[in-house]
Amino acid sequence: MLEWREWPGLTPYEDALAAMEARVAAINAGTADEAVWLLEHPPLYTAGTSARIEDLTDPTRFPVHEVRRGGQYTYHGPGQRVVYVMLDLNRRGRDVRRFVTALEDWVIATLAAFNVTGERRAGRVGVWVVRPDRPANADGSPAEDKIAAIGVKLRKWVSFHGISINVEPDLTHFSGIVPCGIRDHGVTSLVDLGLPVTMADLDTALRTTFDTVIGAAPDAATEPL
């Protein structure tokens, strides 16, 4: 079984982290089902295990939380859907790279529901959109912005943390960090792309595409995602 839960309002980051820790422990103990939680946080920055202090350009703007998930600095705030994914990779295949790719595929399929072409980039975890409406880069390559970030942690092969997708956050809030350590590209959102997508719209697409891309855990531990 998989539990889907939408947390109402703006959830304090510490509360979500404590709840995830407890849920992962229960999944590992065999006393709880896998879970996908849908949240919004008040404005804050998180620093993953690869975060560089020089990428925190405005350290007093919002609270900064150091977390032991992969990745660098990210922003969370109102208008951004945070998706915490607690899945048992003992049952889904113990392959971290494949799991991250599956999360990217999930985001890409979700964006496609709104006719947005999300793409992955070598060496850059997350999902990107090309911006033909903006000037090309100095090297002639098309401008592109990040629309979704991914950062996960595993404990005994159970995942937590997960994905953030920009629906309608205040994009100026990203200026206090170098998002994910990438200086050459910007960030965008569904509304910034001109799409009147609501959080409820996104949640519906996430649930539909999860079943298609990731789905229920197989009975055999050797089956892949």
Side-chain angles (χ1 to χ4, degrees):
M1 295 291 293
L2 176 70
E3 175 198 78
W4 285 84
R5 178 183 174 189
E6 180 182 346
W7 293 51
L10 299 180
T11 303
Y13 189 77
E14 300 91 336
D15 293 354
L17 188 60
M20 275 196 293
E21 293 273 359
R23 185 57 174 253
V24 168
I27 294 171
N28 271 315
T31 58
D33 292 328
E34 296 179 311
V36 176
W37 292 346
L38 307 172
L39 303 90
E40 288 179 85
H41 289 304
L44 60 94
Y45 299 129
T46 66
T49 54
S50 301
R52 300 173 299 185
I53 191 61
E54 62 268 26
D55 289 341
L56 181 61
T57 58
D58 190 351
T60 63
R61 186 170 190 181
F62 298 125
V64 180
H65 298 266
E66 293 189 6
V67 293
R68 297 194 60 80
R69 53 135 178 91
Q72 302 185 40
Y73 282 105
T74 60
Y75 166 77
H76 295 316
Q80 181 191 72
R81 177 52 89 207
V82 175
V83 186
Y84 289 132
V85 182
M86 289 149 280
L87 300 179
D88 187 356
L89 300 194
N90 292 293
R91 301 171 61 201
R92 295 174 176 272
R94 295 183 178 184
D95 188 324
V96 177
R97 186 183 299 273
R98 180 180 292 171
F99 179 57
V100 172
T101 297
L103 293 180
E104 291 174 334
D105 287 341
W106 182 25
V107 174
I108 290 168
T110 299
L111 295 175
F114 306 104
N115 295 315
V116 174
T117 301
E119 300 177 356
R120 58 171 55 89
R121 291 289 181 264
R124 292 192 252 143
V125 175
V127 177
W128 301 79
V129 293
V130 174
R131 300 301 304 269
D133 55 319
R134 294 188 178 173
N137 297 315
D139 62 1
S141 61
E144 57 187 18
D145 290 335
K146 192 170 192 176
I147 195 167
I150 295 174
V152 296
K153 178 178 173 60
L154 299 178
R155 181 169 297 149
K156 297 180 180 178
W157 291 101
V158 174
S159 69
F160 56 124
H161 297 281
I163 297 166
S164 60
I165 303 174
N166 297 330
V167 179
E168 192 179 8
D170 184 337
L171 296 179
T172 67
H173 288 182
F174 286 86
S175 63
I177 57 173
V178 178
C180 301
I182 298 170
R183 299 177 180 273
D184 299 334
H185 303 284
V187 292
T188 190
S189 69
L190 288 165
V191 171
D192 182 53
L193 294 173
L195 300 169
V197 177
T198 67
M199 202 68 74
D201 294 333
L202 182 73
D203 292 347
T204 298
L206 282 166
R207 294 191 68 152
T208 300
T209 54
F210 182 93
D211 291 340
T212 301
V213 177
I214 298 179
D219 293 331
T222 56
E223 288 193 37
L225 286 162

